[in-house]
Amino acid sequence: MSSQTLQSEDGDAVAKLRYHQRFLYENTEMATSLVLSLCPLGLRPDRPWHDKCTDRRLAVSRNNKPLDTVTQEVEHMFYHGYDNYMEHAFPEDELKPITCKPLTRDRLDPTHIEVNDVLGNYSLSLVDSLSTLAILASSTNYATRTRALRQLHIGVAELVRQYGDGSDGPAGRGLRAKGFDLDSKVQVFETVIRGVGGLLSAHLFVTGELPITGYNPQDVTGAGGSFSKQTPHNLTYNGQLLRLAQDLGNRLLPAFHTDTGIPYPRVNLRHGIPFYSESPLHRDAENGMCHKIPQRSQEVTETCSAGAGSLLLEFTTLSRLTGDPQFERLAKRAFWSIWNRRGSTGLVGAGIDAESGQWTSSYTGIGAGIDSFYEYAAKAHILLSSAPSSQLSGSVPTSQPPLEASEGHDNPERYLEAWIDAHKSINHHLRRGKMYIHPHYIQADVFTGAPRAFWFDSLSAFFPGLLTLTGDVEEAIETHLLQTALWNRYSALPERWSTSSGSVEGGLGWWAGRPEFIESTYYLYRATQDPWYLHVGEMVLRDIKRRCWTKCGWAGIQDVRSGELSDRMESYFLSETAKYLYLLFDPDHPLNKLDTPFVFNTEGHPLILPRRQHPGGRQDYTLKPSTALHAQSSPPICQNHAAQHPFSVSAVAARGDTYHAANLARLHYIPTRETLESPLIEYSANHPSTTISDVRSPSNFTYFPWTLPPELVPYNATCDKMAARPTFDITFPSQSNGVLTPGSLQRVLNGILVNSMGGLRLGMIQDVIMDIEGATNSDELYRVQAINNIAMGKDEKVFMAKDTAASVVNPLDPNFTRIRDVSMLELVVDVAPEQVCATQPPASDLFDNNTTTISTPDSVYSGSVNEEAQLESNVLHAFHSLIEHVSSLIQNKPQETTQGSLREYMPAITPTGAGAAPLPDVEDALGPDISGSPRGGLLWHSIYVTGNNCHNRLPFNVVRDHQVLVVKRGGCSFSQKLQNIPTVPPSKHSLQLVIVVSYDEEAGLPSGWLVRPLLEIQQTTATGLPRHRPIPMIMVGGGDKTYDIFKKAVGLGLKRRYSIQAHGIPISNLIII
């Protein structure tokens, strides 16, 4: 670079360039190997160093020296931030890297929660950095390892100097405070994951519970039998960090004094929660539970699922280390208090009131406000699997009832079950599949599952890592592809990005150094060993160094589109972003080979239950598989590495859906780097990079990441066909007044009831994958996804009376055609009230549509269930039928529901074949109303229940005097059963229908499914003559339970099933009632 160029640069740019030059000159060998390795990174031939490229090695490769080089770059990145924090900001909480000043709490504006919630005035960045220093202390470079270990011990000593050693004596007071006795109102969640988590993780490293290469602190026994560790740098460690963590945890406990078990969102580290006047903590039992403090201004009691339910890892570790059980018990209680309030979708919402336990926001998703709740469900299972239950003595706050052992909250399996159930619900309600260009997740209503928003937020980038950790690697890869494409587009992840518009959502375009995307990249590389993820990590490293470097640290990006910087270095940049990058590029790090249940908390701090718990040692525990897990069709297991594709060393690079993710991210619309209008080009022109490879970053590569060398791109690679997503609207003509009245649509329990079709608009979608050539599938179904712009969840139904559309719909309209089901129908049965106390399981266990519970009395009729007693049974029923026949003579129309009877709705199936007869032409029975109550009467009331009807003819009067005959399946063919029924003159009181009760599950079908019975020959009489009036027959399932229902039946009717089709394809969630 010429002197003229140097003179034209601003001070920051000059300092940055000199830093870069000093780094290269001090590491000549490393710089040479770096240059040689960067040939595949898209550098143009006119670069002056291009001729030196004698080979085409990967920029980052597990077996090549450049991987060590990149690891050292991450180390330098961390120390550039950490050293400047210690120089310019310590002992304050965070660093302002542009102005080189500390960032402190906003005392003038208590409502400035984005600062005050996090910054507790306890040297947050140092606390958050200790575990990263411990990880760097396992570097393969001796100088780096020694430096990191020394800095770790210095950091511990500095904390003790400022806040004391956590003891009760004089040593417990530091320069700033005694412990964390600070007048700071902080958020409970942020303080637990950063403060408590950081102190505990550092304690576990210093004591050797977590591994550091070559680190073996010596046990020292002091006066009075005190126990301590003597470290290589003369630090006598006797649990100072653990005591400080307990002090900080104790100061958070007042927030847990709620009636719901859900902690308040904020607490003052010195004064507790005087601002939550409704807390049980302020009730005075001696004076009638009146409040001990006067009512004050209402403090916000809304918290989020992530904030209240993501305290379990830190508090459990704290309890096991200290012997105080209240932390673990309160964190578990908070988790289950949230989970047990989940919506009907099986998901938790974003906001909930800690005092009432009511959801304050019906939004649900996988990002902000919810993310770490699901993360901690899975990680709690891992952490607790080695020692699930703490046998410690102690108590919880008086306002908190103790957890009962029967609730199973100590069982690790319960947390895994919660994650499995949540993941299933996420995929059902929130995940959009390949028919939406590329799989991604949306936001929905926690109660209905209806779509509420269509954006991706940077916090949800953690999800591929969680999926990988729980064995769902393929879903993780798909999700991570889109995130990588977005990073490739913006050289960062915007805080919120719209999948529908393809642009930054609502102006939320900042990137504050968040680690979630790096975290997921790390997990995926550990699971797949695919070098593609190393290049993703390299892209992130290059872009951070190119865009975020300042002379005093690393700034956040205020707008990823313009490159404007924010003057704040978040503590998690040192705690997580640098840490995950380092572990990604150091595959031999001891944490990457640690074969024991440990986890990273949501702030990136490694945690493990100690070998020596307080009191006693690690408990032996054998996992007992739970019933719920055995019910899963396929238990979650870790998948093997994907096979590498021919002519490629990367399975991910060879995927056929890579372009799909690029298409959804709109990479193909982004200007090329040569386009002068591109804001990134204008930005990079005045901000020189810190290494040679950071000089340029392309912004229009639909094949990503931009650091990917050509060697990993398959020869003649092609992408899969794009899936089509058939959608259309059906609009009905308006009524005469042209107004859609408010009563036209009615919200009911599980959907929307349509009372009028005039002016109605149905938004349809086909929930199957279709390729671009329009290939069809026999199982295609349309679904109503919106009614008059009211979005509907996947499980919500549209209810419509069969005659509602009669006046506005043309029966021949192919867009909306009512079709009667020729094979399936509903059998409506009124059952006599119970007469004895013997009970059986609800009939709803047998039939999906049942709504009543049946008890088994003695048989109303004396029908025998064995063939030997069938003749005697027939005589008794014939006599009884005479009484019913007389009473039925006065009935000319369906009776109303028998008083006191219960109504059942059973699915039934009609037969097929030469002997099948059409069903009686009778009026349909009415289905239940919206509340589930029965409506209307049933047509038939004389019902005869017999055996399998295979060996004897029924008496003539039974057929003449009964409208319905119930027989058991088996013993002979269906045709033989019908042949043993006598022929009688037709009348409305004689036999109208035969019901066969099936006992056998059909092979190859799910439980409860039926195959249509086959009547292979024409119906005949017992003498072999053709039957002139064939008998209608249907079949139901359920065996003895169903058979018992018919023995108590006092009324029966038929309800035919109707469906609506659009273009010949059924609409799955439109129900005709």
Side-chain angles (χ1 to χ4, degrees):
M1 182 174 290
S2 65
S3 59
Q4 290 85 353
T5 305
L6 281 174
Q7 293 172 0
S8 65
E9 303 286 0
D10 57 39
D12 284 0
V14 173
K16 187 176 183 182
L17 180 60
R18 287 174 179 170
Y19 167 85
H20 161 59
Q21 291 173 331
R22 183 173 66 253
F23 172 79
L24 288 182
Y25 284 127
E26 291 175 356
N27 300 273
T28 305
E29 180 181 355
M30 181 169 56
T32 303
S33 64
L34 177 63
V35 170
L36 293 178
S37 69
L38 292 175
C39 301
L41 299 182
L43 302 179
R44 294 173 54 181
D46 56 352
R47 303 293 186 200
W49 53 81
H50 183 270
D51 294 337
K52 298 181 181 180
C53 294
T54 57
D55 61 22
R56 300 183 63 80
R57 292 180 294 172
L58 301 179
V60 283
S61 172
R62 181 169 184 172
N63 298 317
N64 290 343
K65 187 174 181 179
L67 183 58
D68 296 331
T69 301
V70 178
T71 305
Q72 292 183 39
E73 285 190 62
V74 178
E75 294 171 2
H76 282 273
M77 182 182 76
F78 170 79
Y79 282 120
H80 181 61
Y82 179 76
D83 291 344
N84 276 286
Y85 163 73
M86 295 300 292
E87 178 181 352
H88 298 290
F90 180 79
E92 302 300 337
D93 285 315
E94 286 183 347
L95 169 69
K96 300 171 73 173
I98 297 178
T99 57
C100 303
K101 296 179 180 179
L103 179 65
T104 61
R105 294 178 57 81
D106 190 346
R107 300 289 184 182
L108 299 178
D109 183 8
T111 64
H112 192 188
I113 58 175
E114 58 266 28
V115 170
N116 292 336
D117 272 358
V118 177
L119 306 186
N121 201 28
Y122 56 86
S123 307
L124 175 61
S125 289
L126 175 58
V127 173
D128 243 355
S129 298
L130 292 179
S131 63
T132 307
L133 286 167
I135 287 175
L136 293 180
S138 292
S139 171
T140 55
N141 183 285
Y142 175 77
T144 300
R145 183 165 66 248
T146 304
R147 177 187 181 187
L149 192 58
R150 183 176 65 253
Q151 293 288 347
L152 172 62
H153 294 154
I154 292 174
V156 173
E158 285 294 329
L159 273 180
V160 172
R161 190 164 71 93
Q162 296 294 329
Y163 306 100
D165 65 358
S167 65
D168 294 330
R173 178 170 295 279
L175 296 178
R176 306 194 90 191
K178 179 177 174 58
F180 298 106
D181 182 22
L182 304 162
D183 187 12
S184 299
K185 182 181 176 183
V186 295
Q187 190 185 81
V188 174
F189 168 69
E190 293 289 356
T191 308
V192 169
I193 66 171
R194 302 193 194 203
V196 177
L199 292 169
L200 290 175
S201 184
H203 166 79
L204 292 169
F205 274 114
V206 172
T207 56
E209 293 284 352
L210 287 170
I212 298 177
T213 302
Y215 175 69
N216 295 300
Q218 300 299 313
D219 294 343
V220 177
T221 302
S226 62
F227 179 79
S228 63
K229 295 278 188 179
Q230 188 67 39
T231 70
H233 295 95
N234 296 321
L235 170 67
T236 301
Y237 183 78
N238 58 15
Q240 297 95 318
L241 295 179
L242 177 59
R243 291 193 295 273
L244 287 174
Q246 186 174 19
D247 176 83
L248 185 56
N250 283 329
R251 296 177 184 279
L252 301 175
L253 291 183
F256 289 84
H257 286 268
T258 64
D259 293 322
T260 61
I262 301 171
Y264 287 114
R266 295 174 180 85
V267 65
N268 187 288
L269 294 179
R270 174 175 294 166
H271 303 295
I273 55 169
F275 33 81
Y276 293 121
S277 57
E278 297 297 321
S279 169
L281 187 64
H282 304 314
R283 296 174 189 163
D284 187 356
E286 296 180 358
N287 295 285
M289 299 295 288
C290 296
H291 290 275
K292 292 189 292 186
I293 62 174
Q295 297 286 336
R296 302 191 179 185
S297 59
Q298 182 64 33
E299 178 77 12
V300 174
T301 57
E302 178 187 6
T303 185
C304 62
S305 296
S310 304
L311 314 172
L312 187 57
L313 304 181
E314 299 83 0
F315 271 19
T316 296
T317 306
L318 182 58
S319 282
R320 304 302 176 89
L321 286 167
T322 62
D324 186 346
Q326 61 181 335
F327 302 106
E328 179 177 349
R329 293 181 182 178
L330 290 174
K332 287 179 176 178
R333 179 177 175 82
F335 177 90
W336 293 111
S337 294
I338 295 291
W339 179 246
N340 292 335
R341 288 173 168 83
R342 62 192 181 276
S344 55
T345 58
L347 300 170
V348 298
I352 191 169
D353 188 273
E355 292 182 342
S356 68
Q358 300 296 316
W359 295 109
T360 57
S361 171
S362 61
Y363 269 69
T364 186
I366 60 170
I370 302 170
D371 48 359
S372 58
F373 180 87
Y374 297 135
E375 176 189 357
Y376 274 41
K379 289 183 176 180
H381 167 73
I382 298 172
L383 186 68
L384 293 172
S385 62
S386 61
S389 178
S390 176
Q391 305 297 328
L392 307 176
S393 60
S395 61
V396 297
T398 55
S399 64
Q400 293 288 351
L403 292 175
E404 297 294 335
S406 60
E407 293 177 329
H409 293 173
D410 289 330
N411 188 349
E413 298 286 318
R414 288 287 308 279
Y415 297 92
L416 180 59
E417 292 166 15
W419 158 247
I420 292 174
D421 291 343
H423 183 213
K424 185 183 302 182
S425 297
I426 288 170
N427 279 347
H428 181 65
H429 294 286
L430 306 181
R431 190 171 190 263
R432 288 187 156 190
K434 296 180 179 180
M435 71 284 294
Y436 291 88
I437 303 178
H438 187 79
H440 59 278
Y441 304 89
I442 64 171
Q443 292 69 45
D445 188 278
V446 71
F447 301 108
T448 67
R452 297 289 296 272
F454 307 93
W455 41 257
F456 157 85
D457 64 346
S458 60
L459 283 170
S460 62
F462 89 101
F463 201 60
L466 177 57
L467 292 172
T468 305
L469 193 63
T470 55
D472 298 290
V473 179
E474 175 60 25
E475 184 182 348
I477 292 174
E478 289 180 337
T479 306
H480 186 266
L481 273 176
L482 175 61
Q483 298 169 1
T484 307
L486 283 175
W487 186 288
N488 198 76
R489 172 178 174 180
Y490 292 106
S491 295
L493 283 185
E495 183 71 6
R496 188 179 291 180
W497 179 82
S498 171
T499 56
S500 57
S501 67
S503 58
V504 172
E505 173 85 4
L508 306 180
W510 61 81
W511 182 74
R514 289 199 186 278
E516 287 78 13
F517 176 62
I518 324 297
E519 175 187 2
S520 291
T521 304
Y522 162 71
Y523 278 115
L524 276 166
Y525 178 68
R526 297 305 308 159
T528 65
Q529 297 295 298
D530 195 308
W532 190 85
Y533 295 105
L534 294 176
H535 291 283
V536 173
E538 184 188 20
M539 172 181 70
V540 172
L541 175 63
R542 303 292 174 224
D543 287 336
I544 289 175
K545 295 170 70 176
R546 177 172 58 88
R547 306 191 74 188
C548 302
W549 186 94
T550 70
K551 63 183 178 181
C552 289
W554 303 97
I557 303 175
Q558 187 62 35
D559 192 325
V560 296
R561 297 163 295 185
S562 66
E564 177 188 356
L565 297 180
S566 61
D567 195 12
R568 182 178 183 181
M569 185 176 73
E570 294 268 6
S571 68
Y572 54 65
F573 182 84
L574 302 177
S575 171
E576 297 184 81
T577 306
K579 180 181 298 169
Y580 285 122
L581 273 174
Y582 183 83
L583 291 173
L584 170 67
F585 294 125
D586 187 2
D588 296 323
H589 192 280
L591 273 185
N592 287 333
K593 297 185 175 182
L594 185 59
D595 188 16
T596 192
F598 84 100
V599 294
F600 292 94
N601 83 335
T602 197
E603 187 70 9
H605 296 301
L607 295 174
I608 188 172
L609 295 186
R611 291 188 295 270
R612 289 183 297 203
Q613 297 185 37
H614 184 293
R618 182 185 293 273
Q619 305 168 36
D620 292 329
Y621 178 74
T622 302
L623 290 180
K624 297 180 180 179
S626 65
T627 303
L629 285 181
H630 276 290
Q632 300 293 330
S633 57
S634 56
I637 57 174
C638 294
Q639 303 173 5
N640 292 327
H641 296 168
Q644 304 299 339
H645 288 234
F647 310 109
S648 173
V649 296
S650 170
V652 177
R655 288 178 64 93
D657 57 351
T658 303
Y659 177 73
H660 301 178
N663 183 282
L664 184 57
R666 278 72 164 186
L667 283 180
H668 53 303
Y669 291 149
I670 306 303
T672 62
R673 63 154 96 173
E674 285 78 14
T675 304
L676 296 180
E677 290 79 7
S678 173
L680 294 182
I681 299 305
E682 298 175 5
Y683 172 76
S684 61
N686 295 322
H687 292 75
S689 26
T690 56
T691 63
I692 294 175
S693 59
D694 299 322
V695 173
R696 288 277 188 145
S697 171
S699 59
N700 182 33
F701 276 6
T702 54
Y703 211 86
F704 51 87
W706 65 263
T707 49
L708 193 69
E711 288 90 331
L712 265 67
V713 181
Y715 179 70
N716 287 338
T718 57
C719 69
D720 295 338
K721 291 181 178 180
M722 298 288 287
R725 179 168 52 93
T727 59
F728 61 93
D729 288 348
I730 299 177
T731 304
F732 298 90
S734 300
Q735 296 174 334
S736 57
N737 58 11
V739 178
L740 187 66
T741 62
S744 300
L745 301 178
Q746 180 182 351
R747 171 66 70 176
V748 294
L749 180 62
N750 54 349
I752 293 179
L753 173 65
V754 177
N755 295 316
S756 173
M757 300 288 290
L760 190 70
R761 184 172 71 255
L762 302 178
M764 312 298 298
I765 185 171
Q766 195 167 6
D767 280 337
V768 295
I769 297 176
M770 287 184 62
D771 61 32
I772 55 177
E773 296 176 355
T776 59
N777 186 304
S778 59
D779 296 327
E780 292 171 359
L781 293 172
Y782 282 121
R783 175 173 60 86
V784 180
Q785 65 173 345
I787 301 182
N788 290 4
N789 293 328
I790 301 174
M792 300 191 64
K794 289 184 177 180
D795 290 339
E796 287 194 289
K797 305 293 190 297
V798 179
F799 300 99
M800 183 183 302
K802 66 179 181 179
D803 297 326
T804 297
S807 60
V808 294
V809 176
N810 185 340
L812 301 179
D813 187 350
N815 294 310
F816 199 82
T817 308
R818 193 183 76 176
I819 304 294
R820 191 172 87 176
D821 195 325
V822 296
S823 61
M824 293 296 297
L825 69 154
E826 300 290 335
L827 200 59
V828 185
V829 185
D830 277 346
V831 185
E834 62 179 279
Q835 299 174 10
V836 295
C837 296
T839 60
Q840 71 171 38
S844 57
D845 292 342
L846 304 175
F847 309 111
D848 292 340
N849 295 327
N850 287 344
T851 59
T852 59
T853 300
I854 303 302
S855 299
T856 306
D858 292 335
S859 180
V860 175
Y861 304 105
S862 302
S864 174
V865 297
N866 58 69
E867 195 63 38
E868 290 76 7
Q870 183 169 320
L871 182 59
E872 179 183 0
S873 171
N874 292 343
V875 175
L876 292 174
H877 277 282
F879 176 77
H880 184 82
S881 67
L882 179 62
I883 304 299
E884 290 209 349
H885 176 64
V886 174
S887 63
S888 66
L889 292 177
I890 61 174
Q891 300 180 36
N892 296 318
K893 62 180 180 178
Q895 294 180 343
E896 293 301 314
T897 306
T898 305
Q899 184 176 5
S901 64
L902 303 174
R903 180 160 290 186
E904 293 282 345
Y905 302 86
M906 305 180 185
I909 193 166
T910 60
T912 185
L919 293 175
D921 186 15
V922 296
E923 183 180 354
D924 277 3
L926 296 177
D929 61 20
I930 297 304
S931 65
S933 302
R935 296 187 302 163
L938 301 180
L939 183 65
W940 301 319
H941 297 274
S942 54
I943 304 165
Y944 185 89
V945 181
T946 184
N948 56 27
N949 201 43
C950 288
H951 305 295
N952 302 96
R953 292 184 62 188
L954 287 174
F956 179 84
N957 59 342
V958 170
V959 182
R960 181 194 62 197
D961 300 334
H962 291 83
Q963 298 163 311
V964 178
L965 172 66
V966 180
V967 300
K968 292 183 176 181
R969 182 179 181 180
C972 59
S973 67
F974 296 112
S975 297
Q976 182 65 41
K977 295 177 188 296
L978 297 179
Q979 192 177 46
N980 287 332
I981 300 175
T983 301
V984 298
S987 76
K988 62 183 178 181
H989 306 295
S990 62
L991 185 63
Q992 306 291 316
L993 180 69
V994 173
I995 302 174
V996 178
V997 179
S998 177
Y999 282 71
D1000 301 325
E1001 297 287 349
E1002 301 290 347
L1005 286 180
S1007 176
W1009 286 50
L1010 297 172
V1011 173
R1012 297 183 71 180
L1014 175 62
L1015 299 177
E1016 66 276 5
I1017 61 174
Q1018 185 179 1
Q1019 290 190 31
T1020 62
T1021 64
T1023 59
L1025 296 176
R1027 194 184 291 275
H1028 294 296
R1029 295 182 180 85
I1031 303 173
M1033 187 193 92
I1034 60 175
M1035 187 172 72
V1036 297
D1040 283 332
K1041 294 180 180 180
T1042 303
Y1043 189 75
D1044 289 340
I1045 292 174
F1046 286 118
K1047 289 194 293 184
K1048 300 175 297 178
V1050 294
L1052 192 145
L1054 300 178
K1055 179 177 177 292
R1056 292 167 177 82
R1057 288 186 176 183
Y1058 294 87
S1059 64
I1060 300 294
Q1061 294 186 356
H1063 303 287
I1065 299 176
I1067 302 175
S1068 61
N1069 65 335
L1070 202 159
I1071 308 300
I1072 301 299
I1073 59 175

